[in-house]
């Protein structure tokens, strides 16, 4: 079985770009979790423990809209942990998935509407959103 060789400079750049994007999305995710927790506790009542919060994140429909962002971060983690080198197509697909997810919509349902509401109520979400979008705008797909 042939082992992959050392990463090329292009693969190294893809890895760095995806790592930076992952960090920005992780910060956005944490900010959204904190914001949504505050809103939940104002509306429903206090969350007693971290374990209770984790269970709510996993099972409660209130937090279900955050699952696509969680899944995207997991996909980035998997891509960065693969033994096989990153490909341009793989990196582009993840970046495009992030670009598609971070679309804000005042109408409708699902992630984009809840995301719009979070942006309206919490300046920390606005700052984390701006940082993630900055990385998405800066990403340039390498020539193939």
């Amino acid at each position: 079985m042939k082992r992959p060789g050392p990463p090329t400079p292009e693969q190294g750049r893809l890895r760095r770009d995806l790592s930076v994007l992952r960090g920005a999305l992780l910060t956005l995710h944490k900010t959204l979790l904190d914001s949504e927790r505050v809103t939940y506790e104002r509306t429903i009542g206090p969350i007693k423990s971290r374990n209770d919060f984790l269970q709510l994140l996993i099972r409660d429909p209130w937090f279900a809209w955050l699952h696509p962002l969680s899944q995207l971060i997991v996909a980035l983690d998997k891509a960065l942990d693969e033994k096989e080198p990153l490909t341009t197509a793989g990196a582009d697909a993840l970046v495009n998935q992030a670009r598609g997810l971070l679309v804000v919509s005042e109408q409708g349902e699902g992630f984009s509407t809840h995301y719009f509401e979070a942006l309206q109520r919490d300046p920390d979400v606005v700052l984390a959103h701006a940082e993630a979008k900055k990385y998405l705008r800066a990403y340039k797909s390498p020539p193939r």
Side-chain angles (χ1 to χ4, degrees), residues 6-66:
T8 65
E10 190 56 46
Q11 290 164 338
R13 186 187 73 76
L14 289 173
R15 176 170 293 286
R16 283 189 302 279
D17 288 350
L18 288 187
S19 293
V20 169
L21 175 60
R22 180 197 174 276
L25 292 176
L26 207 53
T27 298
L28 175 61
H29 188 262
K30 168 86 168 79
T31 305
L32 286 168
L33 289 176
D34 293 345
S35 179
E36 208 57 32
R37 181 178 184 154
V38 168
T39 304
Y40 180 92
E41 289 183 327
R42 280 187 196 143
T43 306
I44 307 296
I47 299 170
K48 293 179 177 64
S49 70
R50 288 182 180 171
N51 186 49
D52 288 346
F53 186 47
L54 178 61
Q55 293 307 312
L56 288 169
L57 290 174
I58 294 168
R59 294 190 174 90
D60 195 294
W62 184 285
F63 298 97
W65 72 273
L66 292 164

Side-chain angles (χ1 to χ4, degrees), residues 87-130:
T87 64
T88 300
D92 287 353
L94 289 166
V95 169
N96 288 332
Q97 187 179 349
R99 286 178 176 147
L101 185 62
L102 299 187
V103 171
V104 179
S105 176
E106 194 172 349
Q107 299 175 343
E109 56 187 57
F111 185 89
S112 61
T113 304
H114 288 282
Y115 193 41
F116 171 82
E117 292 166 359
L119 285 162
Q120 297 304 305
R121 76 170 172 261
D122 192 334
D124 290 337
V125 173
V126 174
L127 294 173
H129 168 79

Side-chain angles (χ1 to χ4, degrees), residues 66-77:
L66 292 164
H67 292 177
L69 182 55
S70 303
Q71 292 165 345
L72 176 56
I73 293 167
V74 168
L76 282 161
D77 286 342

